[in-house]
Amino acid sequence: MADETRRLVLDAVARGFSHRFKADDSFVTDVDLAVERHLRTRIAAHFPGHGVIGEELDATGTGAELRWTIDPIDGTHSFRFGVPFYGTLLALLHGDVPVLGVIDMPGLALRVAGARGLGARANGAALRLADADGPVEREIVATGDRAQFEKAGKLSSYERLAREHPVVRTYSDCLGHALALQGRVGAMVDFGLHLWDVAATEAIAREAGARFVCLERRGATGADARHDVVFGKPAVVDRLLRILT
Amino acid sequence: MADETRRLVLDAVARGFSHRFKADDSFVTDVDLAVERHLRTRIAAHFPGHGVIGEELDATGTGAELRWTIDPIDGTHSFRFGVPFYGTLLALLHGDVPVLGVIDMPGLALRVAGARGLGARANGAALRLADADGPVEREIVATGDRAQFEKAGKLSSYERLAREHPVVRTYSDCLGHALALQGRVGAMVDFGLHLWDVAATEAIAREAGARFVCLERRGATGADARHDVVFGKPAVVDRLLRILT
């Protein structure tokens, strides 16, 4: 399915696409809708009993034991402007537990994926995180956009992190997730996420040996909740938790 | 020459490389030295009368009318940790004016280059920047690392920018430069740069139709000076200058 959506996305990039603003003032493009529709059609054909929670369309099969989450284009702001740091996120929940995750980044030709008991992979190569092998404060820490922290009412956390860790970079959205799951950045701090932003990462992190911590979940369960998370190399996550809490 | 250094860098990434800390507490790797030595050998063979100013070795031919600047691995911090946002920077100065620039990013398979009268290219395709085609405040603005602003004594500029522009991301080093020269981010604000960090971008910017503004140059000319620069789409640069000054 990720092969198919990657082709769909790259064709749209080559052809050009239109965008508009959503009610929350974020961008949506016709590609977001086309990718989510494609994945829903494929899931319905292969797994008719499964539920689906997606960013752009209404949830289906909300009572199902197995439910998919879809973020068709994570990083729409990057996507709209041609910055290659966007991706398609797909996860499978068993109850409320993510058991399979795929982060596919067409603009970087990068796919990071993992499933319970099957391990994690980056572009097909087995992924097993080594902990920090040098001074933890040298590691690069990724964050989401400052506006995410502001919306979550946690701008002070963002500013404390920027003051207390030497190298903090806004590698927003799936870029930071993919880099942290590969151990390239030491960890990521990402606040105010929807379930479809975070479920794939949680599933992959467990299989890759990354530490994944949800600091807070606000709101109802399911599509309305917002998650503040930290994940990456265990020693770096520990340091960040000390700074943040 | 950039084809050759790209191979050299990618071979080192595949093989592994060692790193150590420099006096200014930044990383240097054996790849930095190998790339700079290779470029100096090639320049000396082809252009024996030209001078060279490089990050890792002493300047030569300081009185020459034509001088090359070399940053063998710009973004060494990223390079050391496997984040693919590093690159080799090469520029040619006529007097003090950059007339040719190459930004080669092996980890992204991206090369942005330009020369006076020959235009600018990204991976071979002609590059001619369109100005912002929508609300300027929607454009993504790239910055260097917070520590660069702190060292330059301009942390307040960094913080004002983060407060007043909606989407500011630390796309440090040549990543932000390459994205701004392609018009993918609207502009970049990068402070405390050496000549070899900025000469290639200035040469390419002029040919690509980007606006390039040096807000301040501190210290002596040549290798010791530090440059605070803003460059990108004209309308975005104008907005940033209003915020910064």
Side-chain angles (χ1 to χ4, degrees), chain A residues 77 82 138 145 169-170 184, chain B residues 77-78 82 138 169-170 184:
Chain A
H77 207 104
R138 298 273 179 184
D145 284 327
R169 294 178 179 166
T170 32
R184 298 179 190 271
Chain B
H77 207 104
S78 295
R138 296 275 180 185
R169 293 179 179 166
T170 33
R184 298 179 190 272

Side-chain angles (χ1 to χ4, degrees), chain B residues 52-93:
Chain B
V52 178
I53 303 167
E55 180 169 13
E56 307 300 341
L57 301 166
D58 291 338
T60 61
T62 45
E65 192 183 357
L66 289 162
R67 292 174 302 158
W68 295 81
T69 67
I70 301 171
D71 189 345
I73 302 286
D74 179 57
T76 312
H77 207 104
S78 295
F79 185 64
R80 178 257 180 271
F81 284 107
V83 172
F85 305 152
Y86 58 85
T88 299
L89 309 183
L90 187 62
L92 178 62
L93 307 179

Side-chain angles (χ1 to χ4, degrees), chain A residues 21 25 77-78 80-83 85 133 138-140 145-146 162-163 168-172 175 184, chain B residues 21 25 77-78 80-83 85 133 138-140 145-146 162-163 168-172 175 184:
Chain A
F21 299 111
D25 212 39
H77 207 104
S78 294
R80 177 256 180 271
F81 285 107
V83 172
F85 306 152
D133 65 345
R138 298 273 179 184
E139 298 266 341
I140 301 170
D145 284 327
R146 185 182 186 272
R163 273 196 316 273
V168 176
R169 294 178 179 166
T170 32
Y171 291 162
S172 322
L175 173 66
R184 298 179 190 271
Chain B
F21 298 112
D25 213 40
H77 207 104
S78 295
R80 178 257 180 271
F81 284 107
V83 172
F85 305 152
D133 65 345
R138 296 275 180 185
E139 297 267 338
I140 301 170
D145 283 328
R146 185 180 186 274
R163 274 197 315 273
V168 176
R169 293 179 179 166
T170 33
Y171 290 161
S172 321
L175 173 66
R184 298 179 190 272

